């Protein structure tokens, strides 16, 4: 898609194309040097994770709960071979298939938990920041109190309450998602509330009040769209924490049963005894999957957060690439290009 052109004054100005203005593409074009390398690495790892989750039925050679094929049972703790490239677990499951199917479970928890917390946190922060008064004070106190709860401890309590500690697919997903949602709501609440307090003092909000716009219209039509620009940054950071919470639940024995879904933390829990026996493949691959996914999402989040800071972005641009100087006559006798450089003046003297 070609760039658009518009006229400003007497000079045509080329506007960037729609492709270059897309969120991730725009940040990628802004980044330079090491920061760009970190962002690309994070995007590659995260993209591979999402691709594995979407294509799990095609990539995994076996089902997540499959114990046998036409040749018979897989066998427990079998080393890597042509039939099982990453070996089998102590329960007789194929490690490679469990790792691939586990990406679907991780994506499901991220989607459910983060989306629920975004809706609740944004709504509460918008109402609290705009209305103020006793409503604001009560919501701030409640969110500060909830924020003090450890997410993993709350997840364990929710798992016991919902499923009695023996989780099927939806029970385990809801136990992890609800606990993560409760802990994440204060984060979105704080960000949206601070932005709402700042934006409601702007001139366009005062103009909307003068024109007779209702409070709901002002909040959702004028303030909301300007207060949610930092949400993608928080989303990426919270997604990695959601994966760790789900893995922690499974590792402590409150995860999803292997016959209901594949979950990396549960597989790590069952491979503890294998480590002391020299059986490394049952624990290495699920552990590496957790580390890589969290690393990839964190790299993306930190890179976007870094690029959102104008001071760091300007510094990197100044250090990495030269900024072209417009040939405008701002000094007596001609443009800036006609002014001799300081080094030239010193050399002549």
């Amino acid at each position: 898609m070609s760039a658009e052109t518009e006229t400003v004054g007497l000079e045509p100005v080329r506007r960037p194309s729609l492709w270059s203005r897309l969120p991730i593409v725009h940040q990628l074009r802004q980044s330079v040097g090491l920061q760009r390398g970190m962002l690309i690495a994070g995007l590659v790892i995260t993209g591979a994770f999402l691709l594995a989750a979407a294509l799990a039925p095609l990539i995994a050679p076996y089902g997540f709960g499959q114990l046998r094929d036409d040749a018979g049972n897989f066998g427990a703790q079998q080393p890597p071979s042509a039939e099982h490239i990453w070996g089998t677990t102590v329960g007789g499951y194929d490690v490679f298939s469990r790792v691939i199917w586990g990406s679907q479970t991780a994506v499901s928890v991220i989607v459910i938990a983060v989306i629920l917390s975004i809706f609740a946190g944004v709504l509460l922060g918008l109402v609290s920041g705009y209305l103020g008064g006793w409503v604001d004070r009560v919501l701030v106190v409640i969110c500060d109190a909830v924020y003090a709860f450890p997410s993993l401890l709350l997840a364990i309590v929710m798992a016991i309450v919902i499923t009695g500690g023996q989780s099927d697919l939806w029970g385990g997903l809801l136990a992890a998602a609800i606990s993560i949602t409760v802990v994440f709501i204060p984060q979105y609440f704080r960000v949206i509330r601070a932005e709402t307090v700042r934006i409601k003092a702007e001139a366009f909000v005062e103009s909307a009040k003068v024109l007779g716009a209702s409070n709901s219209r002002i909040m959702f039509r004028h303030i909301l769209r300007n207060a949610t620009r930092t949400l993608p940054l928080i989303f990426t950071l919270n997604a990695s924490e959601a994966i760790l919470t789900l893995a922690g639940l499974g590792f402590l024995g409150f995860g999803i049963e292997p016959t209901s879904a594949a979950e990396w933390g549960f597989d790590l829990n069952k491979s503890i005894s294998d480590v002391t026996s020299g059986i490394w493949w049952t624990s290495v691959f699920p552990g590496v999957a957790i580390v890589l996914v969290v690393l990839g999402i964190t790299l993306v989040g930190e890179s976007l957060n870094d690029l959102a800071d104008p001071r760091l972005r300007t510094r990197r641009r100044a250090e990495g690439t030269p900024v072209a100087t417009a040939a405008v006559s701002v000094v007596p006798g001609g443009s800036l290009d006609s002014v001799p450089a300081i080094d030239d003046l010193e050399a002549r003297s």
Side-chain angles (χ1 to χ4, degrees):
M1 182 177 297
S2 60
E4 301 176 0
T5 304
E6 64 179 9
T7 302
V8 178
L10 299 178
E11 297 293 333
V13 178
R14 293 178 60 84
R15 295 180 57 190
S17 62
L18 179 61
W19 168 256
S20 62
R21 284 179 286 170
L22 293 177
I24 297 297
V25 177
H26 178 66
Q27 274 81 15
L28 191 59
R29 289 168 59 90
Q30 282 183 323
S31 61
V32 293
L34 179 61
Q35 207 280 329
R36 172 173 290 185
M38 293 173 56
L39 180 57
I40 292 176
L43 289 175
V44 169
I45 296 174
T46 305
F49 163 62
L50 296 177
L51 192 64
L55 302 179
L58 301 177
I59 299 176
Y62 308 104
F64 57 82
Q66 187 173 346
L67 293 173
R68 58 179 296 136
D69 56 9
D70 295 338
N73 292 333
F74 293 155
Q77 300 172 327
Q78 295 297 316
S81 62
E83 293 77 15
H84 307 283
I85 58 176
W86 287 355
T88 61
T89 66
V90 65
Y93 301 103
D94 182 69
V95 175
F96 178 73
S97 299
R98 294 279 300 177
V99 171
I100 297 298
W101 283 105
S103 60
Q104 278 194 344
T105 307
V107 170
S108 301
V109 169
I110 291 175
V111 171
I112 297 174
V114 177
I115 287 181
L116 288 178
S117 57
I118 283 179
F119 276 109
V122 168
L123 180 61
L124 292 176
L126 195 63
V127 172
S128 177
Y130 184 78
L131 297 181
W134 66 270
V135 176
D136 181 43
R137 290 194 293 271
V138 170
L139 289 176
V140 168
V141 171
I142 293 176
C143 286
D144 287 344
V146 172
Y147 194 70
F149 280 92
S151 59
L152 185 58
L153 179 60
L154 186 58
I156 295 174
V157 174
M158 294 303 303
I160 296 175
V161 171
I162 294 177
T163 64
Q166 299 296 323
S167 300
D168 56 5
L169 175 59
W170 289 109
L173 291 179
L174 288 178
I178 291 175
S179 61
I180 295 168
T181 297
V182 173
V183 176
F184 283 179
I185 284 177
Q187 301 182 22
Y188 296 100
F189 170 82
R190 290 179 174 184
V191 173
I192 298 301
R193 176 185 174 275
E195 288 294 313
T196 302
V197 171
R198 179 185 64 83
I199 294 173
K200 75 175 183 179
E202 298 289 340
F204 69 90
V205 176
E206 298 295 333
S207 301
K209 292 180 181 179
V210 172
L211 293 176
S214 62
N215 289 335
S216 60
R217 180 179 177 84
I218 293 174
M219 284 191 296
F220 295 101
R221 184 69 181 271
H222 300 288
I223 297 180
L224 180 61
R225 65 174 62 182
N226 294 289
T228 56
R229 296 181 180 179
T230 58
L231 290 186
L233 310 179
I234 308 175
F235 170 81
T236 55
L237 299 178
N238 287 348
S240 59
E241 187 175 347
I243 293 178
L244 292 177
T245 302
L246 178 65
L249 274 177
F251 186 78
L252 294 176
F254 297 96
I256 303 171
E257 294 299 316
T259 55
S260 300
E263 200 275 305
W264 296 330
F266 180 89
D267 292 341
L268 284 177
N269 173 270
K270 297 302 180 181
S271 65
I272 294 178
S273 59
D274 296 342
V275 177
T276 58
S277 303
I279 303 174
W280 53 269
W281 55 87
T282 58
S283 58
V284 166
F285 295 111
V288 169
I290 296 174
V291 172
L292 286 180
V293 172
V294 172
L295 176 63
I297 297 176
T298 303
L299 284 177
V300 174
E302 291 293 340
S303 300
L304 295 179
N305 189 30
D306 210 5
L307 289 172
D309 191 337
R311 295 169 298 179
L312 297 177
R313 187 173 64 246
T314 303
R315 186 187 66 187
R316 284 196 175 89
R317 179 61 60 183
E319 294 175 353
T321 58
V323 179
T325 304
V328 180
S329 179
V330 294
V331 294
S335 65
L336 286 176
D337 295 338
S338 62
V339 180
I342 296 178
D343 296 339
D344 295 339
L345 292 177
E346 293 177 352
R348 293 175 186 176
S349 60

